[in-house]
Each structure stands twice: as C-alpha cells, then as structure tokens.
Amino acid sequence: MKLKDLGPLMARRRAGGLSYDYDRFRADPMVATLRWPDDVLEQFLYDFGDNPAFVNDYGSVDLRAIQWRLETVPSADFHEMPTGATDAGCIEEFAEKPVHWVKVRPPEVGRQWEEHGTWLRPPLLIDRCLLDPSSSGLQVVEGRTRVGVLRGRLREGLHVASHHQAWVGRP
C-alpha cells in the first residue's frame, strides 16, 4: 500500500472537515491494517498523507513494509540528518532561530526544552533504505521544526539532552 492508495480516504477526510476526526480515520480498514502506533499514524498519514510535497518524497514507499519503533537517538545523529528533497534546507532555516520557533509554540514546549533539553513529541525518522535500497542512515520525515530547534540550540550553546526519543521506521 502506498500513499496514493489512500487517496479516496484522504478525499473523504477533506470533505468531512473537522467532523472527520482522527478516530474515524484510524478506524478505516486500510489504515487499521498498518498497525502503526497512533502517534506515527497521526503525524505521517492523518496530518500529511495527501500533502503534495510529502507524497512526492514518500509516495513510493510501501507503507506495509515499515515497522515503527520508539528509539533513543543521540543528539549527534541529528547534526546532518536530511529530510525529504522537497523540504531540503528547511531544517537549517528552523535552526537559524531556535528560540523563536519554541516561543511560537505552547508554553510547555519551551519548558520541555529548558528543563529536559528535548522535544515533547518524538519526531518521525525513516531508514533511508526504504526510500532507496542503496541509501543508508536516517531521514527526518516529520518533525523538521523540532530537529531544527535541536540543531540551533546546539549551535547557540543552549541546553540540549545527549539523547532524544524518536519514532524510527525500519524495514
């Protein structure tokens, strides 16, 4: 199953507006067969499943081939981690103003960074071999702002934890 296969579901979601809530979405038989964690399902499919740039970057991936697990990832691994080609450079843009991007979020986001040096909600990373069998390493699927804030805080010498939780999709 690929993102394009979810087109009819995404059209129903859009047509239903706010009345087509996340619970209805995740109960759809196509989505339910994936057996993805709710946090991943919401960030990956519900929020971005029909976003043209997202579909361009991840539309060729067999969604059934991805196994998601919450992993602890060292801060250093995020230094050069790319995102999809259509959003190339956006992590660096967020990294330029980490304090700003935290301030425009709810106050608990800033408290989490100050007290724990990390994000509230784990971002989504994918093993790049799922995108191209000859590739290796991880790529940021969702959470570009969070990873940008991390990079910017490191650059500015602000408090950053040595490790961070992230949802990692692997074959």
Side-chain angles (χ1 to χ4, degrees):
M1 176 183 0
K2 301 196 178 189
L3 286 173
K4 66 180 169 88
D5 298 323
L6 296 173
L9 172 62
M10 299 309 286
R12 284 194 306 276
R13 179 181 164 272
R14 277 191 312 278
L18 294 177
S19 68
Y20 205 92
D21 65 11
Y22 175 68
D23 288 332
R24 280 182 66 192
F25 180 84
R26 74 179 180 160
D28 183 276
M30 284 186 76
V31 173
T33 62
L34 291 173
R35 298 180 187 253
W36 286 5
D38 277 342
D39 199 25
V40 173
L41 192 60
E42 185 175 5
Q43 290 185 72
F44 195 111
L45 295 180
Y46 187 75
D47 291 345
F48 291 101
D50 62 348
N51 176 289
F54 194 81
V55 172
N56 184 64
D57 289 341
Y58 304 105
S60 65
V61 177
D62 180 356
L63 303 176
R64 293 170 298 193
I66 306 172
Q67 293 293 313
W68 294 96
R69 207 173 70 207
L70 194 59
E71 296 184 12
T72 301
V73 181
S75 287
D77 289 5
F78 290 97
H79 288 278
E80 301 295 324
M81 194 179 294
T83 191
T86 56
D87 282 327
C90 78
I91 293 174
E92 292 75 17
E93 288 177 27
F94 294 126
E96 289 175 12
K97 298 179 183 178
V99 173
H100 164 76
W101 292 110
V102 169
K103 281 186 178 181
V104 298
R105 300 295 190 263
E108 57 269 19
V109 171
R111 281 193 300 275
Q112 180 75 5
W113 278 108
E114 291 305 315
E115 294 173 12
H116 303 284
T118 193
W119 36 68
L120 276 173
R121 188 176 195 189
L124 307 182
L125 313 177
I126 195 166
D127 189 318
R128 292 171 57 206
C129 74
L130 287 162
L131 306 169
D132 175 2
S134 65
S135 294
S136 63
L138 297 175
Q139 177 169 311
V140 179
V141 173
E142 172 49 12
R144 295 169 298 277
T145 304
R146 288 166 268 180
V147 173
V149 166
L150 178 130
R151 288 184 190 175
R153 288 179 66 89
L154 283 168
R155 187 191 70 248
E156 293 183 9
L158 300 171
H159 177 53
V160 174
S162 63
H163 291 78
H164 308 271
Q165 294 287 294
W167 287 106
V168 180
R170 298 190 188 276

